[in-house]
Amino acid sequence: MVGLWSFWCFSLLALLYPFHSKFLAQAEITSPKTNSRLHRLEVTPLEAGATRKPARVKVSPKVDNRTDLFSGFKTESVFVDVVDPRYDRQMRKDLHSGLGNEAQIGKKTAPNSFKRLTASSKKYDSTFEDSYMRPTANTLLENTFPEIRKRAARSVAAEYTEILDRSTNGEGQSKDRFLETAQGIANSRAEYRRTGEDARGSNPRQSEPHLDTSTFALSGDSAHNQAMVHWSGHNSSVILILTKLYDFNLGAVTESSLWRSVDYGSTYTKLNDKVGSRTVLSYLYVCPTNKRKIMMLSDPEIESAVLISSDEGASFEKHPINFYIQSLLFHPVQENWILAYSHDSKLYSSLDFGRKWQLVHDDVMPGRFYWAVMGLDRESDVVHIETRIAKSAQYVKCRAQRCTEANRQYLFPGHVDTNSLVVQDEYVFTQVTKSGRASYFVSYMRESFNRMKLPKYCLPKDMHIISTDEKQVFAAVQEWNQNNTYSLYISDSPGVYFTLSLENLRTSRGPAGNLLVDFYKVEGINGVYLANKLVDHQVKTFVTFNKGQTWALLPAPPTDVAGNNLHCILPFCSLHLHLEMSENPYTSGRISSKNSVPGIIVATGNIGTELSSTNLGMFITSDAGNSWRQIFEEEHNIWFLDNGGALLAVLHATTPIRHLWISVDEGKKWDRHSFSLAPLYVDGVLMEPETENHIITFFGHFSHRSEWQLIKIDYKGIFNRRCMDGDYQTWHLHNKGEPCVMGEKQIYMKRRPGNRCMLAQDYSRIYSSEPCLCRAYDFECDYGYERQADGKCSPAFWFNPSSATKSCSTSQSFLNSTGYRKVLANNCKEAGKNMFSPRRQACRPRPPRGLRLSTSQGELSAIVGSNVTFLVYLDEGDSLRTNIQLDFGDGIKITYSNLSRTDDGIKHIYRATGIYRVTAYAENSQGSDSSSLFLHITSPVERVYLSAPIVAIRGKEANLTAVVWPSHHRTLTFFWWFENSSEPIITLEGSISYTFLREGINKVTVQVASGSTVMQDSKVITVKEFFRSLLLSFSPALDEHNPDIPEWREDVGRVPVARVQVSGFPEDQLLVSLYPGLPTVAELFILPDIETPPEHRRKTDIFVTALNQGLIQFELKADIRIIVYITQQTLAPLVDSNAIHSGSAMLMLLTVVFVGLAAFFIYKFKRKIPWIHVQTEDSHEKDPEVISTCSSNVRQTYWEESSLKGEEHTSLSH
């Protein structure tokens, strides 16, 4: 019955994401085995969840929820899906069958989106907040029991019916018995585990280790299926719980209850009357810098308001808001400063803890906004924002309450990829993708951006920033030849130059598609990391004690938990660990370490040749990973108690439990205690670390129909006194017996195992530290160098070690790399000459070589009037004594005395479109070098007009021109489509001549391409063997109403044609084309038909007469009539070229003689006929131009006449 109920609830839970966008931000916790506990990075791809925030580093820089450049973002609230432990083991087998049950820490990534820059998340600290003060202690719990996924095929209705049936058959009765026995206070004494068996002591005495427990049920909320729990304040006794009924059908919260305890959870009071009996609460937030301040959000479906408390929930103020809050970001220092992200992508700020809100910016990318980092940003109210612009984004910096356009700073030159901005500690990361290849940029200490440099042929497909601790960047990079693995790269302090540390890190995808990388930083010990690496298709766990310089397999314990020898010999057999960290503060994760107990690591794993999801046990090390012991044969959730002085273990069970285990000797012996008289399905454990109290709270339920049960446990009874000086001992950190770790000998203090004394919070963990002399072990290969088989660092084939431009740009000497660089945070002491340390050398005079010129983003085009930034690089040469001249190609040149003055780039604005040759010239006393690029300066094309004749003669060239506004000079590409051609003619000029080979209607289209913008215009051209044309003019009143646009000219051109019925002409034989400009002028084309020439001439004469008599007119507007006149007319007859006349030779001879005489007569007396000019040509001469052109003074009309002997072309000018 419970199983079916679990499946039904889990199925509904799976629908939570598509129905309610707010829950996307919550972390999901299902069971102790399926918790999202992996410390992951994500690069973005670089998309962030609405309530998620980049925590430690994507470029995948902060562990973000997207899969792009750097990954890993933290959640503001934690979503807990309560699981029925009885079905957890089978679920674990299903989810872990492929080692793929890894949760994300970071922002959400679309599985198929292009990778975006993200950052990795820092682990949850004692207050469950990340470094950006996004609250994470507010945990959402679900009172549901997910069933095994194998049963998902069954319908929800069927499951629900079976659940109800079973619940009425007895479980309800057992629930009542559970409640009866569980209420009140119980005293639980220890039962000791010896050699794997439990020995129960009889008649325990009060001096024996014991727990004091009490249980409280949240009566009346049994229907509520979600809860958010918070322990308020440092050493505070106040606990707040918000329970809710989430309706999966409506996709909304329909009921809520707020509970408050002031005695560490012994009793709770319902506060619904204080917040309003009709108010439905959806979220609870706590100020990370002052946990007495509480903010709750009401459900926006009912009312949009925030409820504020400054006294840990004792009283509340309600303030209505006019937007829907999707996520909050608290300031890292100022307790009243909050950023709120709305559902419509707007960012608001409040400086009075939510009482008043002001719009900061709209079109903000989710999760891509950051408060100032103290000590780096000048003003504490600075906000770093990524804003959306079309298909890209922009990095904007401004003040929270003064973010007008005039006050905004655009610190990165140009646009960036969406979801790529990460502001993390001293670094700002971003990503720019051009031509399918991503480039990554970093700003260190808020200086100008530099391109991040990986080995030349790494060719990254994706990058995630894992960490930015200790002023160094750890990045997971997917190289061009990797598919399911990533490589670990480590940078120098500015985050620019990266070197390879470990190849083929194991990765997987989280539930939201985000990238998960198996990498873990051990707390409390500098330079110690764990990673899972794919080796010959097997996943193995490696450890480093020198921050990634060298890696080694983990040694397996010599014996198992029962003391049996394991015979696991390196390198054939080793210990392998699951490196998943819990994203939820109520579960422990599969690996844990703590700053307050350096050297102790507890993890889930297995022994063998590779990492497995079966036969898992719990393992512990007390010396930072040099040696390990098995402590449990089954998987447990383990927490640190008493500042790390004790360990709490709870079985990861599939059934309800009532016992827990506590060890005070680093897991050598475990005491079993009962925390509940009735078995409890444990949903989570709440504790307030680093406090003087010794109280933890178990929350869960006895059955699926019971209320939320909260069991308060005071474990002070396991101790008998406070620790004194004699209760501590020292231990020496080492690496396989080598005492120097990270360049120093370190001795730590810890409590003697077995002493039942309480640790003081302020006792010093480090007893002494002594630096060691530097050795090869303390150095990693420098940029451009690769470690060879003999362990030495040699230059890569693509790297030139003689290049010293970077070092010689600011001084007369430079540190010349020996191929090694000291591991950052390594404290070794250099004595005398060291073969690994860089050597200072004088900058020798050298001629400039390898001069390179580029724009800041690698673009070879820019918009006219925009600021173009040029970057000049010099591979070799004395940069301090080398003059740099830059010729922008538009008549402006600029000269710099040395290369160092161009570090921030050279900016220039072009005022006109065109293609400019930009040349950089470097010269010193030793020689010179130059570099050029061709820059296209364009402006957006606003309009295109195709100027073409409406009538053309077959077989004769016609001139066509594309007129573009605004005008461009050789920066456009023209595509000409003629007739039914399948391929265009491409030109760089806006004019073309084309010969039409067939009569009829032909459509011509021209497309103009300017960058990514394409515009077009089309015209229809009638092609005939011959035609006649007349030049027309209009009444002066038409000019007053002429807007001189193509549409108007086309409409007016159709009017005279409609008035020619007086001449009997068909409309399809007349075409009118109005020409641009004033006065308004048109050309009338008379097309031939099948009629005989005499009949055609007769109709033409009638039409001409009508024009001369002013009979062709039209009404433009009321009381405005326009008369059409013929300006000039031709006297030449229109001849039918298809009419072939036969006759006798005499007739032909007479015709020729007559024509000859007529031509002679006209030629002889042409000067006496001022209104006509006739020009004859012999048939063997070249044919004249066949395209009719028109100006205000001259019009040419062409006829073509055929005969048996040849053709005669007559051109008349009017």
Side-chain angles (χ1 to χ4, degrees):
M1 175 182 61
V2 177
L4 296 177
W5 171 255
S6 304
F7 170 73
W8 180 74
C9 295
F10 184 77
S11 301
L12 292 180
L13 174 65
L15 300 176
L16 177 61
Y17 289 101
F19 282 101
H20 203 284
S21 60
K22 267 200 169 185
F23 290 92
L24 291 174
Q26 310 299 335
E28 179 179 4
I29 294 189
T30 55
S31 73
K33 210 53 169 175
T34 59
N35 291 335
S36 299
R37 294 174 285 192
L38 182 59
H39 177 51
R40 301 289 186 186
L41 327 170
E42 178 187 3
V43 181
T44 164
L46 181 160
E47 332 131 40
T51 60
R52 298 188 185 267
K53 125 179 201 112
R56 286 315 291 175
V57 164
K58 179 189 167 202
V59 184
S60 202
K62 296 191 178 264
V63 176
D64 174 312
N65 296 333
R66 209 184 282 96
T67 309
D68 283 81
L69 174 60
F70 307 115
S71 42
F73 277 75
K74 237 184 183 175
T75 43
E76 296 184 9
S77 300
V78 180
F79 177 80
V80 176
D81 170 19
V82 180
V83 175
D84 187 341
R86 286 176 287 183
Y87 304 102
D88 176 67
R89 180 161 299 182
Q90 178 62 41
M91 184 183 300
R92 182 165 69 236
K93 292 180 181 179
D94 293 344
L95 295 179
H96 287 269
S97 58
L99 296 178
N101 182 34
E102 299 174 359
Q104 68 187 24
I105 293 182
K107 70 181 172 174
K108 175 182 177 183
T109 306
N112 298 323
S113 66
F114 189 84
K115 303 293 188 292
R116 292 287 180 265
L117 188 58
T118 62
S120 79
S121 170
K122 275 193 175 176
K123 308 169 205 41
Y124 282 98
D125 59 17
S126 59
T127 57
F128 309 125
E129 306 154 6
D130 61 24
S131 59
Y132 290 88
M133 297 305 165
R134 297 180 190 264
T136 57
N138 311 333
T139 301
L140 180 61
L141 306 172
E142 290 245 4
N143 191 6
T144 58
F145 315 117
E147 170 58 273
I148 312 307
R149 283 161 175 75
K150 290 182 179 179
R151 306 179 61 181
R154 303 187 61 180
S155 68
V156 173
E159 294 285 359
Y160 183 57
T161 302
E162 188 171 355
I163 291 169
L164 293 179
D165 292 342
R166 291 191 178 186
S167 65
T168 60
N169 291 332
E171 180 160 343
Q173 299 174 6
S174 62
K175 182 204 82 166
D176 296 335
R177 290 196 299 270
F178 287 169
L179 294 180
E180 289 175 4
T181 59
Q183 303 299 324
I185 298 178
N187 185 273
S188 174
R189 288 173 173 76
E191 301 170 8
Y192 303 99
R193 190 190 72 180
R194 300 184 180 93
T195 65
E197 298 180 358
D198 296 334
R200 299 174 182 248
S202 60
N203 299 321
R205 295 170 300 176
Q206 279 294 350
S207 60
E208 294 178 353
H210 64 278
L211 304 179
D212 293 323
T213 66
S214 64
T215 302
F216 189 90
L218 302 183
S219 301
D221 287 350
S222 59
H224 291 190
N225 53 12
Q226 295 178 352
M228 303 183 76
V229 187
H230 171 71
W231 199 326
S232 178
H234 183 71
N235 288 327
S236 173
S237 62
V238 176
I239 299 177
L240 294 173
I241 299 179
L242 172 63
T243 64
K244 300 180 293 182
L245 174 59
Y246 184 84
D247 190 316
F248 291 90
N249 295 320
L250 299 177
V253 177
T254 57
E255 294 180 15
S256 68
S257 295
L258 181 64
W259 299 81
R260 183 173 185 260
S261 171
V262 295
D263 52 9
Y264 295 101
S266 296
T267 59
Y268 289 83
T269 304
K270 205 170 190 177
L271 303 182
N272 284 24
D273 292 338
K274 290 189 176 182
V275 299
S277 57
R278 296 185 178 181
T279 300
V280 177
L281 302 176
S282 58
Y283 285 92
L284 181 151
Y285 294 93
V286 180
C287 175
T289 55
N290 182 357
K291 294 188 177 182
R292 293 179 57 84
K293 292 191 172 183
I294 311 295
M295 175 179 290
M296 293 190 297
L297 307 181
S298 63
D299 191 282
E301 299 296 331
I302 301 175
E303 63 174 340
S304 186
V306 296
L307 288 87
I308 300 169
S309 174
S310 299
D311 50 12
E312 298 177 292
S315 62
F316 286 92
E317 313 171 18
K318 181 182 290 188
H319 297 272
I321 56 176
N322 57 2
F323 61 96
Y324 171 24
I325 295 179
Q326 198 166 359
S327 66
L328 295 178
L329 177 61
F330 292 90
H331 193 276
V333 176
Q334 300 291 337
E335 61 185 48
N336 291 326
W337 294 7
I338 308 175
L339 293 177
Y341 186 76
S342 68
H343 69 290
D344 55 353
S345 301
K346 294 181 179 180
L347 185 65
Y348 296 84
S349 66
S350 173
L351 302 184
D352 54 6
F353 204 72
R355 292 171 175 83
K356 297 179 182 178
W357 297 91
Q358 179 174 319
L359 178 66
V360 179
H361 206 294
D362 51 10
D363 291 324
V364 176
M365 298 302 298
R368 302 296 178 171
F369 48 91
Y370 311 85
W371 278 113
V373 177
M374 298 299 98
L376 293 173
D377 294 293
R378 294 182 179 180
E379 296 86 10
S380 58
D381 62 342
V382 162
V383 180
H384 303 267
I385 309 170
E386 180 186 309
T387 61
R388 184 186 294 107
I389 300 178
K391 295 182 179 181
S392 59
Q394 200 164 21
Y395 170 29
V396 178
K397 177 182 175 182
C398 63
R399 309 282 291 274
Q401 302 269 312
R402 297 169 53 191
C403 199
T404 61
E405 183 62 39
N407 294 321
R408 295 171 186 169
Q409 292 179 277
Y410 301 92
L411 302 181
F412 186 84
H415 294 176
V416 301
D417 292 352
T418 57
N419 291 311
S420 69
L421 177 67
V422 173
V423 180
Q424 181 73 36
D425 298 328
E426 295 86 4
Y427 302 91
V428 179
F429 300 97
T430 193
Q431 172 182 328
V432 177
T433 300
K434 300 296 181 184
S435 302
R437 180 176 294 183
S439 297
Y440 309 111
F441 296 85
V442 60
S443 168
Y444 179 62
M445 302 297 290
R446 302 302 187 264
E447 298 292 333
S448 58
F449 281 88
N450 291 300
R451 188 188 301 267
M452 300 168 67
K453 295 185 179 180
L454 296 161
K456 187 172 183 179
Y457 295 106
C458 167
L459 304 178
K461 296 189 295 185
D462 185 23
M463 180 185 286
H464 301 247
I465 299 301
I466 297 175
S467 170
T468 55
D469 291 336
E470 300 170 348
K471 297 186 177 181
Q472 186 175 31
V473 180
F474 280 60
V477 178
Q478 187 174 50
E479 302 181 27
W480 66 274
N481 57 350
Q482 293 178 318
N483 293 319
N484 298 319
T485 61
Y486 281 65
S487 294
L488 177 66
Y489 282 85
I490 303 177
S491 77
D492 56 357
S493 286
V496 175
Y497 293 95
F498 285 79
T499 58
L500 179 65
S501 175
L502 186 66
E503 293 183 295
N504 296 323
L505 287 174
R506 176 203 177 215
T507 62
S508 60
R509 294 286 173 180
N514 55 295
L515 182 72
L516 308 177
V517 181
D518 274 15
F519 184 83
Y520 179 77
K521 182 183 185 301
V522 176
E523 299 297 329
I525 303 292
N526 183 29
V528 180
Y529 295 85
L530 296 169
N532 283 331
K533 176 182 178 180
L534 187 65
V535 181
D536 297 329
H537 307 290
Q538 293 182 326
V539 177
K540 300 176 182 289
T541 302
F542 289 78
V543 62
T544 178
F545 287 86
N546 54 5
K547 214 172 187 180
Q549 201 269 48
T550 58
W551 295 83
L553 291 168
L554 287 179
T559 62
D560 61 14
V561 69
N564 302 315
N565 290 329
L566 294 174
H567 305 291
C568 184
I569 308 301
L570 292 172
F572 310 102
C573 175
S574 60
L575 175 63
H576 310 286
L577 305 177
H578 288 271
L579 305 181
E580 300 147 14
M581 292 183 57
S582 175
E583 191 176 350
N584 190 295
Y586 302 139
T587 56
S588 65
R590 306 183 82 177
I591 184 169
S592 300
S593 61
K594 196 173 182 63
N595 281 318
S596 60
V597 280
I600 295 183
I601 310 171
V602 185
T604 302
N606 64 278
I607 298 171
T609 58
E610 64 176 326
L611 182 66
S612 172
S613 60
T614 59
N615 299 322
L616 297 176
M618 301 302 299
F619 298 87
I620 190 171
T621 176
S622 300
D623 54 8
N626 282 281
S627 62
W628 294 80
R629 291 179 287 110
Q630 186 174 10
I631 54 176
F632 290 107
E633 290 182 335
E634 295 181 282
E635 187 171 3
H636 285 64
N637 289 296
I638 295 183
W639 291 267
F640 289 96
L641 303 179
D642 187 40
N643 300 306
L647 296 173
L648 165 67
V650 177
L651 177 65
H652 192 98
T654 58
T655 58
I657 60 176
R658 55 189 294 266
H659 296 100
L660 55 82
W661 300 87
I662 293 179
S663 174
V664 293
D665 58 0
E666 300 174 353
K668 294 182 178 67
K669 186 181 71 172
W670 293 85
D671 303 337
R672 191 176 80 160
H673 299 266
S674 296
F675 64 86
S676 174
L677 297 178
L680 180 78
Y681 291 108
V682 178
D683 300 326
V685 177
L686 178 68
M687 63 180 64
E688 182 74 359
E690 317 298 342
T691 60
E692 294 293 339
N693 66 66
H694 295 79
I695 295 175
I696 57 178
T697 299
F698 276 51
F699 47 82
H701 44 278
F702 296 125
S703 71
H704 72 276
R705 299 181 63 188
S706 68
E707 291 87 357
W708 293 93
Q709 305 295 323
L710 295 108
I711 300 179
K712 172 188 173 183
I713 302 175
D714 188 338
Y715 62 88
K716 187 180 295 184
I718 67 174
F719 305 109
N720 50 29
R721 58 187 173 83
R722 290 191 174 274
C723 292
M724 309 296 291
D725 290 344
D727 293 312
Y728 297 97
Q729 69 180 30
T730 61
W731 69 276
H732 296 253
L733 176 64
H734 65 95
N735 176 16
K736 298 178 182 178
E738 168 57 49
C740 291
V741 176
M742 289 297 287
E744 57 186 343
K745 298 178 181 179
Q746 301 177 66
I747 302 177
Y748 290 85
M749 294 281 294
K750 66 178 181 179
R751 186 181 57 194
R752 294 182 185 276
N755 284 2
R756 293 185 175 274
C757 61
M758 291 179 287
L759 291 177
Q761 283 192 3
D762 56 350
Y763 88 93
S764 177
R765 272 70 176 176
I766 299 179
Y767 181 74
S768 67
S769 178
E770 177 185 351
C772 303
L773 294 179
C774 291
R775 301 166 302 163
Y777 185 75
D778 302 307
F779 293 83
E780 60 191 4
C781 290
D782 204 349
Y783 175 78
Y785 291 80
E786 296 176 350
R787 195 172 296 277
Q788 305 303 314
D790 59 1
K792 295 182 179 180
C793 296
S794 300
F797 72 93
W798 50 266
F799 182 69
N800 182 7
S802 63
S803 174
T805 303
K806 179 176 179 290
S807 301
C808 279
S809 62
T810 58
S811 63
Q812 301 299 318
S813 63
F814 69 100
L815 289 173
N816 189 18
S817 175
T818 61
Y820 301 84
R821 70 185 185 191
K822 192 175 180 181
V823 174
L824 284 180
N826 186 293
N827 297 317
C828 70
K829 181 179 180 181
E830 300 183 33
K833 292 185 178 180
N834 191 309
M835 62 176 296
F836 305 106
S837 300
R839 298 179 178 86
R840 183 162 294 280
Q841 296 181 2
C843 293
R844 302 188 308 268
R846 290 182 298 169
R849 291 290 182 269
L851 183 68
R852 291 175 289 127
L853 174 65
S854 69
T855 60
S856 59
Q857 299 185 49
E859 296 274 357
L860 294 178
S861 64
I863 301 297
V864 63
S866 64
N867 216 328
V868 182
T869 302
F870 295 96
L871 302 177
V872 181
Y873 303 95
L874 187 62
D875 289 339
E876 299 180 28
D878 187 358
S879 57
L880 280 179
R881 299 179 178 84
T882 299
N883 293 329
I884 302 294
Q885 183 185 81
L886 191 61
D887 185 348
F888 297 108
D890 58 353
I892 300 177
K893 299 179 182 179
I894 189 169
T895 302
Y896 293 90
S897 58
N898 59 66
L899 185 65
S900 63
R901 305 189 63 181
T902 67
D903 288 346
D904 294 333
I906 304 171
K907 294 180 172 57
H908 184 67
I909 298 177
Y910 289 88
R911 302 298 182 184
T913 60
I915 302 177
Y916 297 89
R917 177 179 184 138
V918 185
T919 303
Y921 186 76
E923 182 180 22
N924 61 22
S925 60
Q926 304 297 314
S928 63
D929 195 9
S930 64
S931 178
S932 298
L933 61 81
F934 294 90
L935 185 66
H936 293 238
I937 301 298
T938 64
S939 64
V941 175
E942 299 176 3
R943 188 157 55 100
V944 176
Y945 174 74
L946 177 59
S947 176
I950 62 174
V951 182
I953 296 179
R954 184 178 67 86
K956 305 297 182 181
E957 284 189 341
N959 293 327
L960 299 93
T961 301
V963 183
V964 180
W965 288 273
S967 61
H968 289 67
H969 178 64
R970 300 184 65 84
T971 59
L972 305 177
T973 304
F974 298 84
F975 299 84
W976 305 86
W977 303 83
F978 293 96
E979 304 177 71
N980 295 322
S981 61
S982 59
E983 296 291 335
I985 299 175
I986 303 175
T987 67
L988 297 178
E989 298 290 345
S991 299
I992 192 174
S993 297
Y994 185 78
T995 301
F996 296 92
L997 301 179
R998 68 177 182 85
E999 284 192 77
I1001 304 300
N1002 292 271
K1003 184 176 181 180
V1004 179
T1005 300
V1006 60
Q1007 291 182 324
V1008 182
S1010 175
S1012 60
T1013 303
V1014 178
M1015 303 190 73
Q1016 73 176 35
D1017 191 19
S1018 300
K1019 287 290 187 293
V1020 175
I1021 299 178
T1022 303
V1023 179
K1024 294 291 183 179
E1025 290 285 346
F1026 61 90
F1027 60 86
R1028 183 176 181 181
S1029 68
L1030 302 173
L1031 194 65
L1032 305 179
S1033 59
F1034 303 88
S1035 302
L1038 185 62
D1039 293 343
E1040 299 176 5
H1041 299 84
N1042 183 354
D1044 197 20
I1045 60 174
E1047 294 86 347
W1048 184 88
R1049 291 192 290 268
E1050 292 177 4
D1051 290 338
V1052 172
R1054 286 192 293 267
V1055 176
V1057 175
R1059 299 298 188 270
V1060 299
Q1061 295 178 356
V1062 64
S1063 63
F1065 253 114
E1067 291 187 17
D1068 58 358
Q1069 289 183 235
L1070 299 177
L1071 297 176
V1072 176
S1073 175
L1074 269 72
Y1075 293 95
L1078 296 175
T1080 307
V1081 177
E1083 187 173 7
L1084 171 67
F1085 297 90
I1086 306 175
L1087 306 181
D1089 62 0
I1090 59 176
E1091 296 178 347
T1092 59
E1095 179 64 20
H1096 201 279
R1097 276 197 298 273
R1098 186 186 66 81
K1099 291 184 178 181
T1100 301
D1101 293 342
I1102 295 175
F1103 182 55
V1104 171
T1105 301
L1107 287 171
N1108 288 332
Q1109 294 178 356
L1111 299 179
I1112 306 299
Q1113 52 185 274
F1114 61 91
E1115 187 176 83
L1116 183 67
K1117 290 184 177 182
D1119 301 328
I1120 300 179
R1121 297 195 62 80
I1122 304 299
I1123 301 176
V1124 184
Y1125 303 95
I1126 181 170
T1127 304
Q1128 297 177 359
Q1129 73 177 47
T1130 175
L1131 298 182
L1134 185 67
V1135 182
D1136 186 354
S1137 62
N1138 293 322
I1140 305 297
H1141 304 283
S1142 61
S1144 65
M1146 182 61 70
L1147 179 60
M1148 293 176 61
L1149 179 61
L1150 291 175
T1151 302
V1152 171
V1153 171
F1154 176 78
V1155 171
L1157 291 174
F1160 174 79
F1161 177 80
I1162 294 175
Y1163 174 79
K1164 193 70 175 177
F1165 299 97
K1166 62 181 179 180
R1167 296 182 182 278
K1168 297 183 181 180
I1169 306 176
W1171 43 270
I1172 188 171
H1173 177 74
V1174 180
Q1175 186 178 33
T1176 61
E1177 300 177 352
D1178 294 333
S1179 62
H1180 64 272
E1181 294 180 348
K1182 181 179 179 180
D1183 292 339
E1185 174 64 39
V1186 299
I1187 299 301
S1188 175
T1189 61
C1190 177
S1191 67
S1192 59
N1193 298 319
V1194 180
R1195 291 299 307 161
Q1196 293 185 340
T1197 308
Y1198 302 95
W1199 289 269
E1200 183 174 320
E1201 180 180 3
S1202 302
S1203 66
L1204 289 175
K1205 295 184 178 180
E1207 294 181 337
E1208 181 180 66
H1209 303 279
T1210 306
S1211 174
L1212 287 85
S1213 299
H1214 305 278

